Amino acid sequence: MALHMAVEVVRDSETSLTAQIQSFIKREISEGILHPGTRLPSSRRLAHDLDVSRSVVVEAYGQLVAEGYLEATQGAGTRVVTHIDAAPPVVPTLLDEGGHVPAVRWDLRTGGRNLPAFPRREWLGCYQRVLQSAAPADHDYPPLAGEPGLRAELARYLGRVRGVRATADQVMVVAGFAQALGLLCAVLRQDGTGALGIEDPGHPGQRQFVQESGVRPVPVPVDEEGIDVEALAGTGVSAVLVTPAHQFPTGAVLSARRREALVRWARDTGGLIIEDDYDGGLWYERGPRPLALQRLAPDHVVYAGTASKSLAPGLRLGWLAAPPDLLAQLLRTRARHDLGTESLTQLAFAELLRSGLFDRHLRRLNAHCRDRRDTLEEAVRRYLPGARVIGRAAGLHAYVGLPRGTDEAALVAAALRRSVVVRGGAAYHVRPRWDAPALVVGHAHLPRSGVAEAVRAIGEARRLR
């Protein structure tokens, strides 16, 4: 195999060509440009490309092998070694998503890692039926608002399952909630709205996303009834982002009293409510799930949903149900940035909804998550005396309140030393409440035994730190 590699050498330098090649490769490895396991060109090929004697390259490679940067194997060529000695990684106390975290046995963080099994067989069947029946028009650029078939299925599904008041013409398909939020922030800026109320605690990445989209996030406190509407009114903002069905991360459900107050605030001020129903049909607590807030005030609420938690975030598939005037603004804004969401994935998801396979998948997923939640609650009672699982049984994570006086940051660090990575509740607050320590535990991806073992390790870390 004739491989090539860009190497810089200076022929009239006082430094020998061998030393230059050696230093260049060493620097590229140290800076992470040449990755572990990367195969390098043969000494003959590199010498030819650089127009130098082969002995120059052979000597450089040999020295790098001796120093532990490269490894040479008969028949396999020369490669960058797979393990380079480096300074130990610095792990932030609150385990921010941007921080490097070493490999651990139990990863309890929320997000893309915390996913149960994808329904491969059902999805493949739907995708195959779509490909077999697709007309030439289905391979053209998709409609900006989404494939009509999916919009119709979503309107039916959301009305049936979440009580959303919307026709297919009021539904827009987007590439996940991130795109939806970006478009909404752009429209808010266009309308002169420079601030957006956000729940505190809430998703830290979402706060940063809003800010980087040019809108100022304004924190509004959350308690066991959901967002504090009186505090919201006191901020003076005219738009707010809420998770009323299952507050992230506390798991609180917006009470009926607060729902009425929030809708009244929107009507009195002409405000906009963005309802993030991020975990969709994942409700496994006994009893009915609260219906969408949007049904109470469809002219003031944008309902947003996503397949990221119920299927997979890699699909980049989400949807909005918005008032007609706002939807038109969103489409005009989107037209300046992209040409729609990939159509075959939309059509496959429409088939999944139409066939009832999505409902069946959610029933299995809810049974799976309920089982893990029950195991978590039992493990917390057994291994973390004084702690309790807070919030409703829904979604892919749980909020575990710790006894008052617990040093949350120290516990997170001690758990990491026992090969458990978990985030403390303070990481989700704009204004951390040190008097209410907590852990946010992703559990859907773990076996039952894994949930119990991870909590036991946290309990041991708490006792021994």
Side-chain angles (χ1 to χ4, degrees):
M1 183 183 297
L3 301 178
H4 298 274
M5 182 172 64
V7 178
E8 296 176 348
V9 293
V10 180
R11 297 187 180 278
D12 58 358
S13 171
E14 295 182 358
T15 304
S16 70
L17 291 171
T18 295
Q20 288 186 55
I21 295 170
Q22 182 182 327
S23 297
F24 180 87
I25 294 176
K26 187 185 299 186
R27 185 170 63 252
E28 297 292 282
I29 292 173
S30 299
E31 294 180 1
I33 298 170
L34 284 177
H35 297 259
T38 299
R39 185 175 175 182
L40 303 188
S42 67
S43 57
R44 189 184 305 277
R45 168 55 60 184
L46 185 56
H48 178 272
D49 290 346
L50 297 178
D51 193 21
V52 300
S53 169
R54 184 185 176 199
S55 63
V56 169
V57 180
V58 169
E59 185 179 351
Y61 276 8
Q63 185 60 36
L64 289 169
V65 169
E67 293 181 18
Y69 286 89
L70 302 180
E71 56 186 5
T73 306
Q74 184 69 31
T78 303
R79 299 176 183 271
V80 179
V81 297
T82 54
H83 299 288
I84 296 287
D85 291 335
V90 176
V91 180
T93 303
L94 297 179
L95 296 175
D96 293 330
E97 292 298 332
H100 175 76
V101 176
V104 294
R105 186 177 185 193
W106 304 116
D107 189 340
L108 305 184
R109 288 174 293 173
T110 60
R113 310 165 193 82
N114 180 36
L115 289 171
F118 182 78
R120 287 187 171 90
R121 180 181 301 175
E122 293 88 343
W123 183 261
L124 180 60
C126 291
Y127 210 92
Q128 285 179 327
R129 289 195 290 276
V130 164
L131 288 176
Q132 290 167 355
S133 62
D138 294 325
H139 298 282
D140 201 350
Y141 290 105
L144 203 57
E147 292 291 342
L150 177 56
R151 296 169 70 194
E153 290 298 332
L154 281 170
R156 284 191 281 267
Y157 174 79
L158 295 173
R160 171 170 58 88
V161 175
R162 303 294 295 117
V164 172
R165 299 179 187 273
T167 64
D169 291 337
Q170 293 172 270
V171 175
M172 176 180 180
V173 180
V174 290
F177 182 68
Q179 184 183 45
L181 185 56
L183 291 172
L184 286 162
C185 285
V187 169
L188 290 175
R189 291 199 314 271
Q190 293 165 19
D191 290 347
T193 301
L196 176 67
I198 58 166
E199 296 173 326
D200 184 20
H203 196 301
Q206 213 168 68
R207 288 197 297 269
Q208 182 178 353
F209 185 91
V210 168
Q211 187 162 358
E212 292 179 352
S213 296
V215 175
R216 179 170 57 90
V218 178
V220 182
V222 168
D223 58 26
E224 64 278 359
E225 288 189 74
I227 194 167
D228 184 335
V229 183
E230 288 187 11
L232 170 66
T235 65
V237 300
S238 57
V240 63
L241 171 62
V242 292
T243 53
H246 186 232
Q247 201 278 330
F248 185 86
T250 67
V253 173
L254 191 64
S255 68
R257 180 175 69 90
R258 291 273 177 89
R259 282 174 168 248
E260 293 173 0
L262 185 56
V263 167
R264 188 164 54 251
W265 167 85
R267 287 176 174 151
D268 291 346
T269 64
L272 177 68
I273 301 169
I274 302 171
E275 178 179 10
D276 179 11
D277 194 15
Y278 66 96
D279 53 14
L282 298 180
W283 179 268
Y284 42 92
E285 182 165 287
R286 274 70 177 180
R289 179 175 190 172
L291 296 175
L293 179 69
Q294 184 265 3
R295 65 186 280 108
L296 300 179
D299 293 337
H300 291 277
V301 181
V302 178
Y303 174 90
T306 173
S308 293
K309 301 296 185 292
S310 56
L311 289 174
L315 290 177
R316 305 313 304 134
L317 188 61
W319 45 88
L320 295 174
D325 291 345
L326 178 57
L327 185 64
Q329 285 183 278
L330 291 167
L331 289 171
R332 286 195 298 269
T333 300
R334 183 176 192 176
R336 295 194 292 269
H337 297 282
D338 68 41
L339 295 175
T341 303
E342 190 268 311
S343 57
L344 293 178
T345 297
Q346 292 188 59
L347 294 172
F349 186 52
E351 177 64 19
L352 199 71
L353 290 170
R354 184 183 304 111
S355 64
L357 292 173
F358 187 64
D359 286 71
R360 188 171 75 176
H361 166 67
L362 285 180
R363 283 195 294 272
R364 290 198 304 260
L365 187 54
N366 278 317
H368 170 97
C369 290
R370 181 185 300 115
D371 186 57
R372 300 309 184 269
R373 170 80 173 221
D374 291 345
T375 302
L376 176 67
E377 291 181 350
E378 174 59 31
V380 167
R381 285 192 293 269
R382 183 174 181 182
Y383 300 118
L384 289 174
R388 63 190 182 95
V389 181
I390 300 171
R392 307 296 282 270
L396 305 177
H397 77 279
Y399 197 77
V400 179
L402 299 170
R404 186 182 295 270
T406 301
D407 188 331
E408 177 189 296
L411 179 58
V412 168
L416 185 61
R417 291 193 290 271
R418 301 192 73 84
S419 202
V420 179
V421 58
V422 64
R423 299 187 81 192
Y428 297 84
H429 286 260
V430 177
R431 307 182 185 96
R433 289 185 54 194
W434 304 112
D435 62 333
L439 299 175
V440 180
V441 179
H443 56 68
H445 62 301
L446 297 176
R448 286 193 301 269
S449 60
V451 174
E453 287 184 34
V455 175
R456 182 176 65 182
I458 294 172
E460 292 172 352
R462 178 184 173 192
R463 290 195 303 273
L464 299 177
R465 63 179 176 81

